[in-house]
Amino acid sequence: MTALDPRPAPASDTTTALRFPAGFRWGTATAAYQIEGAAREHGRTPSIWDTFSRVPGKVRNGDTGDIAADHYHRVSEDIALMRRLGVTDYRFSVSWTRVQPTGRGPAVRQGLDFYRRLADELREAGIRPVATLYHWDLPQELEDAGGWPQRETALRFGEYAAVMAEALGDRVATWTTLNEPWCAAFLGYGSGVHAPGRTSALASLRAAHHFNLAHGLATKALRAAAHGGAAEVSLTLNLHAVRAQTDSPDDLDAVRRIDAVGNRLFLDPVFRGTLPEDLVRDTASVTDWSFVQDGDLETASAPIDSLGINYYSPTVVAAGPALPQGRPPEPSPWAGAEQHVRLVPAPGPRTAMDWPVDADGLHELLLRLRDELPGVPLLITENGAAYDDYADPEGRVRDPERVAYLRAHLAAVHRAIEDGADVRGYFLWSLLDNFEWAYGYSKRFGIVHVDFATQRRTFKDSARWYAEVIARGGLEP
Ligand code: IFM
């Protein structure tokens, strides 16, 4: 057996304690800037992450995505890994500047060819392509023109979606317009720990609205394209499973505030065509929201086929101003809540990101969506954990904590399905160790270990375990 072969499921293992529904989508997920590399090839120009990662002190060790996991040159090898895992679906993202280097105008053929080849090879391997249009890598040229706080950027995104739909609409099974717009708006323009590193509460709120608008414009473009109708259209949110530290009215109000800016700011426009009224009140000292134009919320609420949820850990809050974070302290990403809410470290085991391990939060979130969005199919588009993995002298990567994390979270998904949540699939984050944004390569989320010096890929124990889960259609007894 080579390092890449998943261990086959034992032949005797025919019983399953937690079997998932027939047709359940088993996937892995990645994002362009985190794995592709080839930052300067075939006309690709800098995105905000190429720029941000070069600002001293912004990314650990000065790491950049210039080479990353070199996926651009190793597509076939990486698809072979997925085939061995047995995944039914693969969620990747498109690098906007590889396709439209200036963020506008005609597409670059080589950029489109890369994604066409990826989609074709996936389909030949029997794996459905799930393409995300925006996973945080805005063309630098559009940021220079004002970025997401400007309405223009949403309009450009709609055009880019139309280009992609024409080019790949016959190959992609599911389009995801945006990945985690909360992070892109509030970490990128509020706290500034992500690209482009701006720190303005107003800019973050404007960006959030323009993400909702961009999502609606892209949905319309994807439906209107020649191949429209065949592919599903989706949106991925990192919804916060928010809990109060105590049942005191002030702590419960802290939950309301975080829920408003972290969850309902995206859920309400997209599923109801409204803005959360309490958030508009909470942020009155920052903005009167006059940047929301007539018809925007109607555009944002164009019907979609499923909602993607990224979940890693719960958020516990209490009343009180935010404690300073980071050295020097970073501005808060919680516009309208920063003076009233304190994040409380949750108890229990933690991952290498220092994130608490708590699968119940995922179950809570799924039941909430079951109740609030009946009829909307759900996909877990990201879930996983970073640990300090290394290859032992025999070349084996043992990651029992990750297996325990994944097992607990899949069990929570199963429990939610039994409780009536319409969850159609699970995409493990991530296929490969990769560029973990401000943490650079210091955090490993992959179930495939990447030696960044040689680009050698090695299945971790968790990859073998996941292959068995997929083959079995559920968790072991
Ligand atoms: O790596 C990220 C991903 O790009 C977006 N969701 C969270 C992951 C882990 O931080």
Side-chain angles (χ1 to χ4, degrees):
M1 187 159 60
T2 73
L4 297 182
D5 288 331
R7 211 166 280 163
S12 61
D13 189 357
T14 51
T15 54
T16 298
L18 302 178
R19 185 176 290 282
F20 283 72
F24 191 77
R25 297 165 73 169
W26 296 100
T28 55
T30 63
Y33 190 70
Q34 295 181 269
I35 64 163
E36 282 181 4
R40 298 281 176 276
E41 275 179 57
H42 299 142
R44 184 187 177 280
T45 57
S47 74
I48 54 175
W49 269 97
D50 294 87
T51 307
F52 185 74
S53 59
R54 286 179 165 68
V55 178
K58 293 297 183 190
V59 174
R60 203 169 280 188
N61 301 320
D63 292 341
T64 72
D66 283 2
I67 299 172
D70 197 31
H71 171 74
Y72 189 76
H73 300 116
R74 292 166 196 266
V75 170
S76 304
E77 182 187 349
D78 292 339
I79 292 174
L81 294 173
M82 287 187 259
R83 198 199 275 264
R84 289 173 177 177
L85 283 171
V87 295
T88 61
D89 290 65
Y90 172 52
R91 174 176 181 252
F92 60 94
S93 82
V94 176
S95 158
W96 190 344
T97 59
R98 212 180 272 299
V99 170
Q100 278 186 315
T102 61
R104 42 171 79 81
V108 170
R109 185 185 51 77
Q110 281 148 317
L112 290 179
D113 282 350
F114 171 71
Y115 294 106
R116 285 196 187 107
R117 178 178 152 215
L118 169 61
D120 286 346
E121 288 193 22
L122 285 168
R123 287 160 64 101
E124 279 158 26
I127 300 169
R128 273 186 293 256
V130 175
T132 300
L133 290 174
Y134 189 76
H135 198 123
W136 305 355
D137 42 1
L138 182 70
Q140 183 60 44
E141 215 167 301
L142 294 186
E143 173 59 23
D144 294 342
W148 286 106
Q150 293 306 320
R151 188 178 183 84
E152 274 295 302
T153 303
L155 308 185
R156 295 290 81 76
F157 185 73
E159 291 168 8
Y160 156 62
V163 166
M164 292 308 302
E166 288 302 334
L168 269 88
D170 56 342
R171 295 161 162 90
V172 165
T174 304
W175 291 107
T176 298
T177 55
L178 306 172
N179 178 70
E180 302 184 357
W182 180 85
C183 293
F186 291 94
L187 302 181
Y189 293 92
S191 66
V193 298
H194 278 189
R198 285 158 68 178
T199 52
S200 151
L202 175 59
S204 63
L205 293 170
R206 291 177 62 105
H209 171 64
H210 294 136
F211 274 120
N212 288 332
L213 178 62
H215 159 75
L217 292 169
T219 300
K220 199 170 152 206
L222 293 167
R223 301 269 194 228
H227 315 289
E232 297 171 354
V233 179
S234 191
L235 162 73
T236 282
L237 301 176
N238 59 311
L239 294 175
H240 299 78
V242 201
R243 296 184 189 141
Q245 189 179 29
T246 73
D247 285 342
S248 75
D250 287 350
D251 283 2
L252 292 174
D253 191 58
V255 169
R256 176 195 66 71
R257 285 176 186 269
I258 295 298
D259 186 49
V261 67
N263 298 333
R264 288 182 282 116
L265 173 54
F266 301 97
L267 289 171
D268 288 8
V270 170
F271 291 102
R272 304 184 207 291
T274 59
L275 276 176
E277 282 176 17
D278 56 336
L279 178 67
V280 173
R281 279 196 308 275
D282 291 347
T283 54
S285 65
V286 180
T287 178
D288 61 3
W289 291 80
S290 54
F291 50 82
V292 179
Q293 297 187 6
D294 285 351
D296 283 4
L297 294 171
E298 198 188 333
T299 301
S301 59
I304 53 175
D305 302 307
S306 62
L307 173 65
I309 297 132
N310 293 355
Y311 174 85
Y312 291 88
S313 57
T315 306
V316 183
V317 299
L323 300 174
Q325 304 235 327
R327 261 180 263 118
E330 296 141 5
S332 166
W334 303 105
E338 62 273 58
Q339 297 309 316
H340 308 269
V341 179
R342 191 161 51 85
L343 298 185
V344 179
R350 291 173 171 265
T351 69
M353 297 292 285
D354 202 26
W355 294 348
V357 179
D358 186 332
D360 288 343
L362 179 54
H363 180 257
E364 285 161 23
L365 207 49
L366 292 172
L367 293 205
R368 170 183 178 176
L369 295 169
R370 171 200 68 184
D371 296 342
E372 293 186 4
L373 301 178
V376 178
L378 306 173
L379 293 169
I380 310 302
T381 36
E382 283 182 29
N383 175 243
Y387 288 102
D388 296 325
D389 309 312
Y390 59 92
D392 70 13
E394 286 79 48
R396 180 164 168 191
V397 184
R398 298 166 201 262
D399 57 345
E401 300 103 326
R402 182 174 291 103
V403 171
Y405 178 100
L406 296 171
R407 193 185 193 292
H409 286 76
L410 273 169
V413 174
H414 188 273
R415 193 151 51 94
I417 294 174
E418 284 194 322
D419 291 340
D422 186 6
V423 186
R424 305 280 178 94
Y426 176 90
F427 294 73
L428 197 162
W429 186 271
S430 180
L431 174 67
L432 303 169
D433 288 337
N434 58 48
F435 176 82
E436 176 53 28
W437 307 115
Y439 294 89
Y441 298 99
S442 68
K443 302 295 174 200
R444 294 182 175 271
F445 272 92
I447 53 172
V448 176
H449 181 272
V450 177
D451 176 340
F452 291 105
T454 62
Q455 294 294 345
R456 179 180 157 82
R457 274 88 161 126
T458 305
F459 266 41
K460 301 179 189 178
D461 284 359
S462 56
R464 304 178 197 286
W465 174 85
Y466 192 44
E468 289 174 10
V469 169
I470 296 171
R472 207 190 277 119
L475 297 171
E476 69 279 15

